Amino acid sequence: MNIISDTLVPARAPYSAVLKAGQIMRIIDLKSQQAVDALFYNATDTTERYSAQDTLAAQAAKGGRYDLTTGSALLSNEGRIMLKIIADTCGFHDTCAGACSCEANTVRFGHETRFMHSCRENFITELAKHGMSKRDLVSNVNFFMNVPIRPDGELTVDDGVSAPGGYVELRAEMDVLVLISNCPQVNNPCNGFTPTPIQIIISES
Ligand SMILES: [Zn+2]
């Protein structure tokens, strides 16, 4: 196994990298209970990007689940497999709840949260480095985020259950631009109310 990069992403910070087809990205929740928001784009044509809708519709068609874990294939808006989850110590990752934003914080938690940092701002910062803008924000994955969906369809953000050092591994099936927001949210329990650093290792065999 050849390590391409090994990065400590500080609490609340964004990150991006290009994964070549066949390369593996390991995201490590160093301290536990840290939500890691992620977006994926075809690195050579960013109009093709991750689609939560296509991914979950394909899983549902196979009688599958509404969250992601080992064996899940992450599909693009063109129905092609972008990445596969090949290892997972957590057991589930949300792709329904979206990313936190100043606007959503204001609605959920009160106007005084309007100026708190959010995943949407991290994504817009990182998108700009790759020639994109907020028009290119689409549905995302929330690694390590615990979002149970009740039988009546109600969705809640519960305490994270990932343990210190827990990780998820994805193998790129095409060249993929990965954007990450190490979630800064402190108004709900998705980060245990204390955002912490994560580690991202990219490797190839
Ligand atoms: Zn967030």
Side-chain angles (χ1 to χ4, degrees):
M1 191 67 78
N2 189 20
I3 303 288
I4 309 286
S5 66
D6 185 346
T7 309
L8 187 74
V9 182
R12 306 177 184 83
Y15 164 94
S16 63
V18 171
L19 276 183
K20 295 283 183 193
Q23 291 183 345
I24 291 166
M25 181 176 67
R26 176 182 287 211
I27 305 171
I28 306 171
D29 181 7
L30 294 170
K31 306 277 188 184
S32 81
Q33 293 192 309
Q34 176 59 44
V36 178
D37 294 41
L39 292 168
F40 304 100
Y41 300 82
N42 177 333
T44 52
D45 175 8
T46 56
T47 62
E48 181 175 18
R49 62 271 307 264
Y50 173 67
S51 166
Q53 295 86 346
D54 286 276
T55 297
L56 292 184
Q59 285 197 174
K62 294 180 190 163
R65 37 199 287 177
Y66 62 79
D67 52 9
L68 307 174
T69 186
T70 307
S72 289
L74 277 57
L75 300 189
S76 74
N77 56 338
E78 295 179 21
R80 299 201 299 154
I81 297 176
M82 303 186 78
L83 307 110
K84 284 182 178 169
I85 298 179
I86 57 170
D88 175 20
T89 65
C90 180
F92 53 82
H93 305 273
D94 168 71
T95 191
C96 295
C100 66
S101 67
C102 298
E103 294 82 358
N105 281 347
T106 302
V107 171
R108 289 177 185 156
F109 310 116
H111 192 68
E112 66 276 16
T113 65
R114 175 72 179 81
F115 302 100
M116 287 180 155
H117 192 47
S118 71
C119 284
R120 183 178 161 86
E121 291 173 304
N122 271 341
F123 281 146
I124 290 171
T125 300
E126 215 58 29
L127 281 165
K129 297 178 186 174
H130 301 281
M132 291 186 279
S133 71
K134 58 186 176 184
R135 292 173 64 90
D136 299 292
L137 272 171
V138 289
S139 54
N140 63 294
V141 177
N142 294 307
F143 291 109
F144 307 114
M145 191 157 130
N146 185 15
V147 185
I149 299 177
R150 299 207 183 95
D152 66 2
E154 190 183 348
L155 173 155
T156 53
V157 177
D158 268 2
D159 293 340
V161 300
S162 56
Y167 64 86
V168 59
E169 266 185 2
L170 300 106
R171 187 182 64 231
E173 302 294 315
M174 61 171 71
D175 292 355
V176 177
L177 168 64
V178 181
L179 264 66
I180 289 211
S181 166
N182 194 10
C183 181
Q185 183 62 267
V186 293
N187 297 291
N188 70 25
C190 68
N191 302 318
F193 299 102
T194 307
T196 50
I198 57 170
Q199 184 179 3
I200 298 179
I201 299 172
I202 297 175
S203 64
E204 64 187 2
S205 32

